[in-house]
Amino acid sequence: MNQKGFTLIEMLIVLLVISVLLLIAIPNVTKHNSFINEKGCKAFLKTVEAQVQAFEMETGGKPTSVDDLITGGYLKEKKCPNGYDIVITNGVVSTSE
């Protein structure tokens, strides 16, 4: 009986190696995901600041809220990638942490 195929021991070893790789990879992915969202929020804040300046140049006044930028067509959304709301106070852009 010379059958070709994998034995149960070989399959268990392969499953063990795959599970160890998953245990190593999953925490790294979740850690990098929060880092990416934080960087994305900082970049979005810079974009909103630029749109505030564009709003000031075109209208001659500062926007009172993010809704002014959205209704004027300067922005499409008012949330950062990490879920925080963007707030404009006296022309200064920040997040509502």
Side-chain angles (χ1 to χ4, degrees):
M1 284 198 162
N2 191 2
Q3 295 181 350
K4 294 184 179 182
F6 295 109
T7 64
L8 183 60
I9 302 280
E10 291 170 335
M11 293 299 287
L12 288 174
I13 291 172
V14 169
L15 288 174
L16 177 70
V17 169
I18 290 173
S19 62
V20 167
L21 289 174
L22 285 175
L23 287 173
I24 292 171
I26 289 174
N28 288 332
V29 169
T30 57
K31 181 175 65 173
H32 289 322
N33 192 22
S34 63
F35 179 73
I36 289 169
N37 284 337
E38 186 178 317
K39 287 288 188 180
C41 188
K42 287 181 183 178
F44 187 63
L45 281 175
K46 294 288 184 188
T47 302
V48 174
E49 289 172 357
Q51 294 306 317
V52 166
Q53 290 177 352
F55 183 90
E56 287 179 35
M57 287 191 291
E58 290 184 9
T59 64
K62 294 182 179 183
T64 57
S65 69
V66 179
D67 293 328
D68 292 343
L69 295 176
I70 292 174
T71 56
Y74 296 93
L75 288 178
K76 293 184 180 179
E77 58 185 65
K78 56 182 170 181
K79 284 192 178 278
C80 273
N82 60 5
Y84 293 137
D85 287 327
I86 301 294
V87 178
I88 298 175
T89 309
N90 299 328
V92 178
V93 179
S94 62
T95 59
S96 64
E97 293 184 46

